[in-house]
């Protein structure tokens, strides 16, 4: 009977993992509701087994999906995921849950909490993983930009770009952040050059990323060209709607 119970538990655990993989394989924006259905399925199985390891993974995915859909309860889901991961002391689960929580804290403008968590992540990743370091610094740059600490935001953003180039990636979402920070610092010529480079790269990937053209719109606005800025912001809004981003 005990072996039978173990077999059932293993089977249910596998179902959770399969459901989580299905979440990650669905393309946005059309698949958002399908993703959430899979994530809920994962959580239901984890709860039925009362398994913190499975619960942490399911909650982390569900938290981010619901946050992107504007659900005010999403931050608490992310906190529960982090608590569950910490309870089982699993390094990978803690890492995944902390990234989900950091994402939500940053975009919720929970500046102090986001900074504390991300600085902890940075200290951990800087010792052993440059890509992990890059992720922490990218989010930290957003935190410091919103906190008005623009020199620090610039330092972080530039370092992220350096690492990105080292790995041959040069992603648009990395570069347009450099442009945004430069624009806030009054470095409008450089901000324009970087924003245009970001837009060029985004166009090469299908052009749906709204950040680069929004950054260019900010540069145009700060340069006194309200008409061009308005046009750029309208394009950014259209791109955001196309990929299913909310307000």
């Amino acid at each position: 009977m005990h072996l039978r119970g173990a077999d059932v538990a293993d089977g249910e655990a596998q179902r959770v993992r399969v459901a989580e993989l299905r979440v990650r394989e669905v393309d946005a924006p059309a698949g958002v509701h399908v993703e959430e259905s899979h994530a809920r399925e994962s959580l239901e199985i984890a709860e039925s087994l009362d398994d913190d390891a499975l619960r942490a993974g399911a909650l982390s995915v569900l938290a981010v999906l619901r946050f992107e859909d504007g659900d005010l309860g999403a931050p608490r889901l992310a906190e529960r995921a982090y608590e569950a991961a910490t309870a089982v002391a699993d390094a990978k689960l803690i890492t995944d849950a902390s990234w989900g929580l950091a994402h939500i804290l940053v975009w919720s403008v929970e500046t102090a909490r986001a900074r504390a968590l991300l600085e902890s992540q940075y200290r951990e990743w800087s010792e052993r993983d440059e890509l992990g370091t890059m992720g922490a610094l990218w989010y930290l740059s957003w935190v410091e930009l919103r906190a008005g600490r623009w020199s620090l935001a610039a330092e972080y953003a530039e370092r992220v770009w350096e690492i990105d180039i080292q790995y041959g990636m040069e992603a648009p979402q990395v570069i347009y952040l450099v442009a945004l920070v430069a624009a806030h610092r009054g470095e409008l010529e450089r901000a324009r050059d970087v924003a245009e480079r970001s837009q060029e790269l985004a166009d090469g990937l299908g052009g749906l990323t709204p950040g680069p053209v929004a950054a260019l719109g900010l540069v145009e606005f700060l340069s006194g060209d309200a008409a061009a800025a308005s046009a750029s912001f309208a394009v950014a809004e259209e791109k955001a709607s196309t990929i299913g981003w909310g307000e």
Side-chain angles (χ1 to χ4, degrees):
M1 291 295 291
H2 290 300
L3 287 175
R4 172 63 177 167
D7 289 342
V8 171
D10 287 344
E12 292 299 284
Q14 182 62 28
R15 283 177 60 200
V16 170
R17 296 187 186 100
V18 169
E20 288 176 3
L21 286 173
R22 287 165 67 196
V23 167
R24 292 175 170 84
E25 289 171 353
V26 177
D27 292 331
V32 169
H33 296 298
V34 178
E35 289 177 333
E36 182 166 339
S37 174
H38 295 335
R40 285 198 309 269
E41 178 188 349
S42 297
L43 182 57
E44 288 168 3
I45 297 168
E47 296 287 15
S48 71
L49 296 172
D50 193 24
D51 187 313
D52 274 333
L54 301 177
R55 184 181 290 120
L59 280 169
S60 187
V61 171
L62 189 60
V64 173
L65 288 174
R66 288 192 175 174
F67 179 74
E68 297 300 330
D69 203 34
D71 189 331
L72 296 178
R76 181 55 193 146
L77 291 178
E79 290 167 352
R80 286 179 57 201
Y82 188 74
E83 291 163 2
T86 302
V88 295
D90 182 290
K92 184 182 185 306
L93 284 174
I94 291 172
T95 296
D96 290 346
S98 64
W99 281 123
L101 180 56
H103 175 83
I104 289 174
L105 291 175
V106 168
W107 300 120
S108 298
V109 200
E110 293 277 354
T111 302
R113 292 183 63 199
R115 182 186 292 120
L117 178 58
L118 288 163
E119 286 179 345
S120 173
Q121 289 179 313
Y122 172 72
R123 286 191 295 271
E124 177 183 351
W125 286 108
S126 63
E127 299 293 328
R128 55 192 174 88
D129 189 308
E130 275 199 312
L131 292 178
T133 298
M134 184 175 75
L137 289 175
W138 187 79
Y139 277 119
L140 275 169
S141 184
W142 280 105
V143 168
E144 302 306 350
L145 175 62
R146 289 172 167 174
R149 296 161 56 162
W150 297 338
S151 293
L152 190 55
E155 178 184 332
Y156 291 152
E158 294 287 354
R159 178 60 183 141
V160 171
W161 195 3
E162 288 174 10
I163 297 173
D164 208 36
I165 290 173
Q166 287 174 18
Y167 282 85
M169 295 186 288
E170 204 171 16
Q173 61 267 34
V174 167
I175 303 173
Y176 86 75
L177 177 55
V178 176
L180 284 178
V181 175
H184 279 78
R185 300 182 75 195
E187 301 169 355
L188 298 182
E189 184 175 346
R190 180 162 192 267
R192 182 182 298 278
D193 289 344
V194 175
E196 289 175 348
R197 173 60 178 160
S198 180
Q199 183 60 61
E200 176 186 339
L201 291 167
D203 288 343
L205 296 173
L208 290 180
T209 303
V213 69
L216 186 57
L218 177 62
V219 174
E220 290 162 342
F221 177 76
L222 294 175
S223 300
D225 192 342
S230 179
S232 292
F233 290 144
V235 172
E237 288 280 356
E238 182 179 352
K239 290 176 183 290
S241 296
T242 299
I243 62 175
W245 285 10
E247 291 296 327

